[in-house]
């Protein structure tokens, strides 16, 4: 296990370094922040002073070297717009995005696994067809359209839930959360549901496929021959075996949920890092954009590492093969 983890860590460092080069060069090659940040009536001397203070007068490779040196010390630069450390802005908004992503993942698992089990245990029935049709809609309908329909139905027509914002929050151990107030939960339901729909459809299809593959196997027949109840067979034997692909794919998708929360946060005015990214792109606030991308990539790497470890624990053959 130690060799397995060390190998993954070395790969992760290489990926993070390569990503920093690609992201930095890509972001800094687009547009000129001075055109947006400096007033149009500024004199040439004022304009040049602002460019020098932002470090935009230096060659691109020199800017990257300065960025990399500072990044190794935990400094990802200062926001051009807010004049604050970019990493501080990201970390201040990150709890809101993590809260939204975790609730969305919970919804996807809590609803997707039971629905997938039902569809897999009752194939070719009206129940199976209904569940699978719903999952196809979850895959095919655009996320932004789903969000607007949720707002129209539950906020505009029915008036049950608020259309945007985070609502009332509570401080717990220095972390702001919406989960400990009714108003916060009400504001969280629609964006979390919108973010969960794609992964809900994915979990349903993975679970159903796993059930259909496992049910005809000999060990299920042997369990029935021993007199085990169908309920115990499903919960102990079937569910345990289908969790390996579900854990792998859902773990990978959690990073995608965080990365692609941008659309949901924009539609529902959720104050997370996704909305901060959109605002920073519009203002060409390069340090914030680069910091966001590197933080998200780092989270992807950590999540993938944890998924690999969980997968190797569920299936030791993976660990043994990688250590050879």
């Amino acid at each position: 296990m130690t060799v397995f983890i060390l190998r993954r860590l070395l790969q992760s460092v290489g990926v993070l370094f390569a990503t920093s080069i690609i992201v930095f060069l890509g972001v800094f090659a687009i547009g000129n922040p001075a055109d947006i940040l400096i007033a149009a009536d500024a004199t040439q001397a004022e304009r040049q002073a602002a460019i020098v203070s932002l470090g935009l007068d230096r060659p691109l490779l020199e800017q990257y070297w300065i960025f990399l040196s500072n990044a190794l010390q935990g400094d990802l630069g200062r926001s051009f717009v807010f004049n604050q450390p970019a990493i501080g802005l990201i970390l201040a908004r990150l709890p809101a995005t993590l809260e939204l992503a975790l609730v969305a993942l919970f919804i996807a698992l809590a609803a997707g696994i039971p629905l997938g089990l039902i569809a897999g245990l009752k194939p070719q029935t009206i129940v199976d067809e209904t569940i699978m049709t719903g999952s196809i809609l979850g895959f095919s309908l655009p996320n932004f359209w789903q969000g607007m329909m949720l707002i129209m139905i539950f906020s505009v027509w029915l008036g049950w839930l608020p259309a945007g914002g985070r609502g009332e929050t509570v401080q717990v151990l220095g972390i702001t959360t919406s989960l400990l107030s009714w108003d916060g939960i009400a504001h969280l339901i629609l964006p979390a549901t919108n973010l969960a729909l794609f992964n809900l459809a994915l979990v349903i299809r993975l679970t159903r496929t796993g059930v259909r593959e496992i049910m005809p196997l000999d060990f299920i027949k042997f369990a029935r021959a021993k007199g085990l109840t169908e309920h115990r067979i499903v919960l102990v034997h079937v569910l345990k075996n289908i969790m390996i692909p579900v854990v792998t794919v859902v773990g990978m998708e959690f990073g995608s949920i965080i990365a692609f929360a941008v659309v949901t946060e924009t539609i529902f005015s959720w104050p997370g890092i996704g909305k901060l990214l959109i605002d920073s792109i519009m203002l060409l606030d390069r340090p914030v954009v680069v910091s966001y991308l590197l933080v998200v990539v780092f989270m992807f790497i950590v999540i993938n590492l944890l998924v690999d470890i969980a997968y190797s624990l569920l299936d030791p053959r993976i660990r043994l093969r990688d250590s050879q």
Side-chain angles (χ1 to χ4, degrees):
M1 177 63 80
T2 302
V3 174
F4 176 82
I5 294 176
L6 287 176
R7 182 174 297 176
R8 287 292 186 270
L9 287 174
L10 290 175
Q11 293 172 352
S12 300
V13 171
V15 169
L16 191 60
F17 176 70
T19 302
S20 71
I21 297 175
I22 296 171
V23 167
F24 187 90
L25 295 179
V27 171
F28 276 67
I30 299 174
N32 184 6
D35 296 335
I36 296 178
L37 299 174
I38 301 174
D41 58 351
T43 65
Q44 186 62 32
E46 291 173 340
R47 181 181 177 85
Q48 186 61 31
I51 290 175
V52 171
S53 67
L54 294 174
L56 299 175
D57 60 322
R58 299 175 181 177
L60 191 60
L61 291 179
E62 183 180 348
Q63 291 184 47
Y64 175 72
W65 175 251
I66 294 173
F67 166 79
L68 182 62
S69 302
N70 292 334
L72 294 176
Q73 302 175 41
D75 180 8
L76 296 179
R78 296 184 71 85
S79 167
F80 293 162
V81 176
F82 299 98
N83 194 29
Q84 298 178 22
I87 189 65
L89 292 172
I90 298 295
L91 295 180
R93 301 274 192 112
L94 186 58
T97 297
L98 289 177
E99 179 180 81
L100 182 62
L102 288 170
V103 173
L105 185 64
F106 173 78
I107 293 173
L109 292 174
I113 292 177
L115 289 174
L117 281 173
I118 293 171
L121 294 172
K122 299 181 178 180
Q124 309 304 322
T125 63
I126 186 65
V127 175
D128 178 35
E129 296 296 333
T130 302
I131 293 174
M132 296 311 294
T133 300
S135 71
I136 292 174
L137 292 177
F139 274 120
S140 57
L141 296 177
N143 186 254
F144 69 88
W145 185 86
Q146 293 172 350
M148 291 188 292
M149 289 300 102
L150 288 173
I151 292 174
M152 181 176 293
I153 294 172
F154 294 100
S155 297
V156 179
W157 291 353
L158 299 177
W160 291 352
L161 296 168
R166 196 178 181 187
E168 183 182 352
T169 58
V170 177
Q171 287 275 346
V172 178
L173 300 177
I175 299 175
T176 303
T177 178
S178 306
L179 295 174
L180 298 179
S181 69
W182 288 113
D183 183 62
I185 293 175
H187 281 79
L188 183 60
I189 291 174
L190 287 185
T193 301
N194 181 56
L195 193 57
L197 288 176
F198 178 85
N199 291 280
L200 172 60
L202 180 64
V203 171
I204 289 174
R205 299 184 76 85
L206 280 174
T207 305
R208 181 188 183 277
T209 301
V211 171
R212 297 309 307 148
E213 290 177 350
I214 289 174
M215 291 305 290
L217 297 182
D218 291 339
F219 75 92
I220 298 296
K221 297 176 182 178
F222 181 72
R224 287 198 179 105
K226 287 175 60 179
L228 297 180
T229 64
E230 199 70 17
H231 180 75
R232 180 173 176 79
I233 291 173
V234 170
L235 291 182
V236 176
H237 298 283
V238 176
L239 194 58
K240 179 180 178 180
N241 283 276
I242 66 174
M243 286 309 294
I244 293 177
V246 171
V247 166
T248 304
V249 174
V250 170
M252 299 282 288
E253 283 298 313
F254 182 64
S256 299
I257 291 175
I258 296 173
F260 297 112
V262 174
V263 175
T264 297
E265 290 184 359
T266 303
I267 292 173
F268 292 93
S269 299
W270 188 263
I273 58 175
K275 192 171 185 305
L276 176 64
L277 173 67
I278 296 298
D279 295 339
S280 300
I281 290 174
M282 297 299 293
L283 297 173
L284 288 181
D285 197 351
R286 290 171 172 175
V288 175
V289 176
V290 173
S291 298
Y292 168 87
L293 294 174
L294 290 181
V295 167
V296 169
V297 169
F298 177 75
M299 293 176 67
F300 259 104
I301 290 172
V302 172
I303 292 170
N304 289 346
L305 177 62
L306 294 177
V307 169
D308 286 340
I309 294 173
Y311 196 10
S312 68
L313 291 175
L314 290 170
D315 189 352
R317 293 172 298 176
I318 302 296
R319 183 170 68 250
L320 291 174
R321 186 172 66 243
D322 284 357
S323 63
Q324 290 176 352

